[in-house]
Amino acid sequence: MKAFGTLIMILGALALTSCDNTPVINVQRDVADDYKENMINANKVIAQSEHTQIQSYIERRGWKMTQLSNGEWMEEYHKGTGSAISYEDSCHVRYRLEALNGKIIYDGQEESFVVGRNQTTVGLDRAVMELHRGSKARIIAPSDLGYGVAGDGDRVPSRTVLIYDIEVL
């Protein structure tokens, strides 16, 4: 019985001395958190750079554009006399699309879509809700409101700022 008690005391002592209050560091989580933070910071830098480039582009052309609440820029240079475009309206537009560097992507492109269903780029979808049927406008959409990081896989490269010259038909 004395040996059993001794064994219990030794096991208890070992259990107490093996307890370490050092926190366990989840290296995988720390690396993932660092990566996420780095990506967020990189996107902020890219967004600020695009914003500066867009402002410079507008100033060089002397356009009188207004920045919309979602971050894109618009100038309605011919106000349409038709009804205002609203969420869930069917919309038919004709546009010229170019990149901020001047490369023409589409010219005379026509497209029909239902506003608010994201059937086109987010920037175009949101901007037409600021217009009336018959309106003509210039819209500058930062890359995150265009085709984003992926581009369109065809004509629009990754992170391209888009410039629409649009007519709502």
Side-chain angles (χ1 to χ4, degrees):
M1 192 73 151
K2 189 174 180 184
F4 182 70
T6 306
L7 181 62
I8 295 294
M9 285 180 60
I10 291 172
L11 288 174
L14 283 172
L16 288 174
T17 58
S18 69
C19 290
D20 188 359
N21 289 334
T22 306
V24 176
I25 298 172
N26 185 341
V27 175
Q28 208 171 18
R29 181 177 172 95
D30 288 346
V31 170
D33 289 345
D34 287 347
Y35 178 77
K36 183 178 178 181
E37 186 176 332
N38 288 340
M39 291 303 294
I40 289 169
N41 290 334
N43 282 325
K44 285 179 182 177
V45 168
I46 290 167
Q48 182 58 48
S49 174
E50 281 185 6
H51 182 79
T52 302
Q53 291 171 11
I54 290 168
Q55 285 183 311
S56 176
Y57 184 91
I58 292 167
E59 288 174 17
R60 286 193 311 268
R61 280 153 186 75
W63 291 350
K64 306 291 184 221
M65 300 192 95
T66 303
Q67 188 171 20
L68 304 178
S69 62
N70 65 352
E72 63 192 334
W73 296 80
M74 185 166 66
E75 176 184 27
E76 185 177 21
Y77 59 87
H78 175 78
K79 187 164 179 91
T81 57
S83 60
I85 307 296
S86 300
Y87 182 77
E88 291 289 319
D89 281 352
S90 291
C91 186
H92 187 77
V93 297
R94 179 182 309 125
Y95 61 87
R96 172 188 171 107
L97 180 64
E98 66 181 81
L100 197 64
N101 66 9
K103 180 183 176 203
I104 297 170
I105 300 167
Y106 295 109
D107 196 5
Q109 184 75 12
E110 289 196 24
E111 190 170 337
S112 293
F113 56 95
V114 177
V115 178
R117 291 196 184 160
N118 296 324
Q119 296 171 316
T120 184
T121 62
V122 175
L124 180 59
D125 193 56
R126 291 180 183 173
V128 295
M129 286 191 278
E130 302 286 330
L131 301 171
H132 291 78
R133 297 191 191 282
S135 290
K136 293 181 181 180
R138 291 183 191 95
I139 300 161
I140 300 179
S143 64
D144 64 315
L145 298 176
Y147 292 97
V149 175
D152 74 347
D154 185 22
R155 295 181 177 203
V156 182
S158 171
R159 295 204 181 271
T160 300
V161 174
L162 300 174
I163 303 163
Y164 291 92
D165 192 332
I166 184 171
E167 178 181 6
V168 182
L169 304 172

